[in-house]
Amino acid sequence: MQGASLENASSKKLIDRIGLLALMLGAWFVGSALWGDAVLPSPLASLVKLLSIIQSDDFAKHAWETLRAFVAALMISWFGGLLIGIALGAHRLSGEVCEPILVALYSIPKIALYPIVLLLFGLGISAKIAFGALHGIVPVILFTMNAVRHLPHIWLRAAKSMRLTPAQTARYIMGPACVPEIVSGFRIGFSLTLLGTLIGEMFASQRGIGHLLLKAMELNDILSIMALALLLLVVASMSSIGLLSMEQRLHHRHDAGRH
């Protein structure tokens, strides 16, 4: 019975997403018809241009540059944020001191910090990785820290009574109990890390998807801008949907386990 209800809920969400996608495409077609291709190219024209860009000789190099910078930044955001968040959540005083600083850092437009990133890491892939990680690591820390804070105290007392080390407590108790919230932080960190990596490529790089996008903006090539934006939208949306589905399943299992 429970499995059937979950399947129905998943089917409903899929229908809702397809409906939202159809609505967005319809609005895009209408906007293109009203304003013309010079202002808003149609979805079909954008798709054809995107296929042309992907088939070009240089695209693979640009895509690989973006991919390796993004993956490195994402690993730093996820695992660095996870370790720092667990440490701050486990030590209440440190968490209370650091949380306002992290929230303030999160609210600062990161582009204002880019000159500092360039001074520290120089031009090249290191600066892009650092800028991407700077965007994504803070939400992972905050989500993880709050998840650890809200752990039932009896679980931590049980860990002490079993004489578990801090590393064992984090692995066997904090980790499994906090997984749903941690995945929520990962999902947000994913999107922000991708954004930071692309911005880094736009300001200090000669290769990458962000660099291609900046060149199209400089040339006022609206069709290329829409094609690259479509590519990024598809990649980010598919990844976000996958992480969101995982998050929802973990939340359901976690809630079912507690009851």
Side-chain angles (χ1 to χ4, degrees), residues 54-195:
I54 291 174
Q55 292 170 358
S56 65
D57 296 333
D58 293 336
F59 180 78
K61 296 178 182 178
H62 289 289
W64 170 244
E65 183 76 8
T66 299
L67 179 62
R68 69 193 187 109
F70 168 65
V71 170
L74 186 65
M75 293 301 100
I76 295 171
S77 298
W78 278 5
F79 296 108
L82 179 63
L83 293 175
I84 296 171
I86 289 175
L88 293 179
H91 194 272
R92 184 168 293 274
L93 178 60
S94 299
E96 290 176 351
V97 171
C98 293
E99 184 174 12
I101 300 173
L102 290 170
V103 172
L105 178 63
Y106 187 57
S107 63
I108 294 174
K110 306 302 182 297
I111 194 63
L113 303 175
Y114 198 66
I116 300 175
V117 173
L118 287 180
L119 284 174
L120 292 174
F121 297 95
L123 295 172
I125 192 170
S126 298
K128 294 188 289 186
I129 293 172
F131 202 58
L134 183 63
H135 275 74
I137 195 169
V138 176
V140 178
I141 294 174
L142 292 175
F143 272 82
T144 304
M145 181 174 61
N146 287 323
V148 173
R149 278 181 180 175
H150 290 91
L151 276 175
H153 292 291
I154 191 171
W155 293 0
L156 300 178
R157 287 199 295 269
K160 288 182 180 179
S161 68
M162 289 185 288
R163 297 181 180 178
L164 297 182
T165 64
Q168 289 174 329
T169 303
R171 179 179 177 182
Y172 295 111
I173 295 179
M174 291 182 180
C178 300
V179 161
E181 285 75 15
I182 290 172
V183 173
S184 298
F186 281 1
R187 180 169 58 86
I188 297 174
F190 180 97
S191 301
L192 292 178
T193 301
L194 178 60
L195 174 64

Side-chain angles (χ1 to χ4, degrees), residues 159-248:
K160 288 182 180 179
S161 68
M162 289 185 288
R163 297 181 180 178
L164 297 182
T165 64
Q168 289 174 329
T169 303
R171 179 179 177 182
Y172 295 111
I173 295 179
M174 291 182 180
C178 300
V179 161
E181 285 75 15
I182 290 172
V183 173
S184 298
F186 281 1
R187 180 169 58 86
I188 297 174
F190 180 97
S191 301
L192 292 178
T193 301
L194 178 60
L195 174 64
T197 304
L198 292 171
I199 293 175
E201 288 184 336
M202 292 176 70
F203 284 92
S205 180
Q206 296 301 313
R207 283 189 297 181
I209 305 297
H211 175 67
L212 290 178
L213 188 58
L214 179 64
K215 282 180 60 179
M217 292 169 65
E218 290 175 346
L219 297 173
N220 198 29
D221 186 352
I222 304 298
L223 185 57
S224 294
I225 293 172
M226 290 301 299
L228 292 169
L230 177 61
L231 171 64
L232 296 173
L233 176 64
V234 170
V235 172
S237 297
M238 294 301 293
S239 303
S240 182
I241 289 172
L243 289 170
L244 181 60
S245 299
M246 183 188 303
E247 175 189 341
Q248 290 171 343

